[in-house]
Amino acid sequence: MPTRPRVLFVTDLAYQARGRRYCDEDIFLSSRLGDAFAIALCHPMDAAGLMDAFDAVLVRNSGPVLHYQEAYDAFREQALARGTRVYNPLSGRGDMAGKQYLLDLTAAGYPVIPTVDRPRDLHLLPATAQYAVKPKAGADSIGLAFAPADQLGDLVDGDVLVQPRIDFRYEVSFYYVDDAFQYALYAPDPSRRWELVPYEPTEADLAFARRFIDWNTLDHGIQRVDACRTREGDLLLVELEDLNPYLSLDLIPEQTRHAFATNLTASLHRFLDA
């Protein structure tokens, strides 16, 4: 019997998230992947010490890395130095590399919520009653605050991002394995952002999401493109999650959920064969 490739599945099964059970998702995925790979689960704090015994490291629902930033930075440094195969690959340009991409995409004219990080650039933002101020190293809305324009000067110090507070109709997320669209979910009520239901994207919606998948240039991996629908009907990027995107697999039809696991398995095989 052929030896199955060994995959270290990095997850924090005890991580608590409002309205979501990360552990259920990773129990399902690790079980399905176990049909094709020899799977071992470990906490993100232990990944660097264990990864040499595996053919690849799969980073899944490990929680915001700012809670264990020093350990994560050491894991990245050691994985890059040793040539460890990490999925998603560590070359991602989205949230994996911080929030700089929001500034870069704004400057390049992409359909993203306008973002600046310097006081002298505040005039580039559209005028609005309130602005969102968030840490560059933030995640899961940690540190997010809102302020009127006359208070921004005291808050902008280079370590935060400033965006206009968008009056949007709803948020929608597009989920990808490699460059292949899998499914979409949206929150009809903006005040209940994690009460998601399946969403049928239009061709224009998929073209919007695909621009950011192409921009990120990851050959392999799971990505989630988060966007908001403005009152005028446009989509604007909120986040390009390419580190450990939560997938809300419990909210999609069973057939779609199993198809996702099958496609992830195939992607991991391609990744190991590359």
Side-chain angles (χ1 to χ4, degrees), residues 15-16 28 36 59 78 83 125 196 201:
Y15 178 69
Q16 298 293 318
F28 166 75
V59 178
Q78 293 176 41
L125 298 178
L196 303 172

Side-chain angles (χ1 to χ4, degrees), residues 111-184:
V112 57
I113 296 177
T115 307
V116 300
D117 67 341
R118 298 178 297 186
R120 67 174 180 266
D121 291 335
L122 289 173
H123 73 281
L124 299 175
L125 298 178
T128 187
Q130 282 196 316
Y131 294 83
V133 181
K134 60 185 71 173
K136 283 186 176 179
D140 276 5
S141 298
I142 296 171
L144 173 65
F146 297 100
D150 59 4
Q151 295 180 15
L152 291 179
D154 296 330
L155 299 173
V156 182
D157 59 5
D159 292 326
V160 299
L161 302 176
V162 182
Q163 300 173 322
R165 188 172 187 176
I166 302 294
D167 179 23
F168 57 85
R169 289 161 50 192
Y170 57 78
E171 290 187 82
V172 57
S173 295
F174 306 90
Y175 301 78
Y176 284 77
V177 172
D178 299 345
D179 62 352
F181 171 73
Q182 304 296 306
Y183 58 92

Side-chain angles (χ1 to χ4, degrees), residues 5 19 32 61 63 75 83 90 131 153 179 183 187 224 231 268 270:
R32 280 295 307 271
N61 288 319
F75 162 72
L90 298 175
Y131 294 83
D179 62 352
Y183 58 92
R224 192 186 73 219
R231 295 294 174 184
L268 273 171
R270 292 192 297 269

Side-chain angles (χ1 to χ4, degrees), residues 210-229:
R210 184 57 185 260
R211 288 187 67 182
F212 298 102
I213 297 297
D214 291 344
W215 175 85
N216 204 16
T217 67
L218 278 181
D219 292 330
H220 307 279
I222 301 169
Q223 299 180 72
R224 192 186 73 219
V225 178
D226 295 338
C228 64
R229 179 80 69 185

Side-chain angles (χ1 to χ4, degrees), residues 28-43:
F28 166 75
L29 281 179
S30 60
S31 175
R32 280 295 307 271
L33 291 171
D35 295 336
F37 306 98
I39 297 288
L41 275 63
C42 84
H43 190 275

